[in-house]
Amino acid sequence: MARLVLKFGGTSVANIERIRNVALRVKREVEAGNEVAVVVSAMSGVTNQLVAWVNEVAKFYDPKEYDAVVATGEQVTSGLTALALQEIGVKARSWQGWQIPLRTDATHSKARIDSIETSDMARDMAAGTVAVVAGFQGVAEGNRVTTLGRGGSDTSAVALAAALKADRCDIYTDVDGVYTCDPRIVTKARKLDQIAYEEMLEMASLGAKVLQTRSVELAMNHRVKVQVLTSFEDKPGTMVVDEEEIVEKQVVSGIAYSRDEAKVTLTKVADRPGVAAAIFGPLAENAINVDMIVQNISDDGKATDLTFTVGRTDLDRTVKLLTDRRAALGFSELKPDPNVVKVSVIGVGMRSHAGVALTMFRTLADKGINIEVISTSEIKISVLIDEQYLELALRALHTAYGLDAH
């Protein structure tokens, strides 16, 4: 007998028929003798509608009331899922974040979890009742409802699995696992049976939309075994596990990409101490995240060209902030470029293999693709390229690293 947490995303609970399908899946686990907690998202599109209503009523809204409205999507789904289970003879009850309670800090709309009190829920589960939990929501001091940010139901599920000391957390989504690359672009992409936490974390943060980054961090910190699978077919998914549990380590496990990038180049910046702080300080103060940075010193050593990337949605604000400070910063020209993408190769096997970067650079050069910026970590290499070459680059790299399905 195992203790399982099953999480179902918005597409899995998009309508009543799919909620009934979820109930049948949960019933199978109960009949296999497992203790089960279910975490549900809002039905597809519901959260977007709730957010739109809030914005329609109040442009500059009170974030506490925003959370009170937006958390209701999951409340509806948890009640409907509990009812669907009861209808097929499975004991079930719904739990809202405040009833557990799942306590968070008071950062409304993107709260962080402080603690989860699971004794009442665990007692219920041991007695054979399925706990159906509204994901994405918690309660802050003063009994105010909070939400965990978009994609927060994944975080709810992994945190609950850690608190319940569950044997596994199954995350049901609209894809059947984690692939070596986006199968919509690379038709030869393969589904992975296993992936290490660190690899999944890199893939999630670098553009793969399968799991939310915070949920992977939680799983890694608490060593929660996570399985990503689909609720639309009966087949195993991808297990996210400790690196030690993977017997056959690939040098490169996957290739991710992000279209959410924009490049900014400042030319002829004075090469003196404190200039970088003067440039990046205002961006940090305005919550603009800078990712890749490259600097080229001019021949005379007196000036430098500085290139960096920001999120595409932050580009206009970045340009304005720096243009307003042009006199103080002393750069010659500011060149923004939103037509770039970041492509990353990821694998824990890189730690012990040389030549991974060379393969990447040579493959792109052979295809006539210019690399604009490079950044590396122990298990990843990211490059910035022109957006028009994305598909060509992904397919060429996928083949070069031997990831193609045979």
Side-chain angles (χ1 to χ4, degrees), residues 62-119:
D62 174 357
K64 297 184 183 72
E65 300 307 337
Y66 169 92
D67 277 357
V69 174
V70 174
T72 59
E74 283 73 14
Q75 182 166 330
V76 170
T77 321
S78 59
L80 289 174
T81 306
L83 287 169
L85 283 162
Q86 290 169 8
E87 281 296 297
I88 55 173
V90 178
K91 285 200 294 179
R93 71 151 284 192
S94 63
W95 294 80
Q96 309 311 310
W98 62 270
Q99 291 172 310
I100 300 172
L102 187 152
R103 299 193 188 282
T104 73
D105 64 15
T107 314
H108 285 272
S109 82
K110 40 181 181 290
R112 297 191 79 81
I113 298 168
D114 288 336
S115 65
I116 306 179
E117 179 51 66
T118 55
S119 53

Side-chain angles (χ1 to χ4, degrees), residues 216-232:
V216 184
E217 279 176 355
L218 265 174
M220 187 162 84
N221 292 339
H222 295 279
R223 290 296 181 260
V224 175
K225 272 190 182 175
V226 173
Q227 182 178 205
V228 180
L229 65 174
T230 177
S231 52
F232 305 122

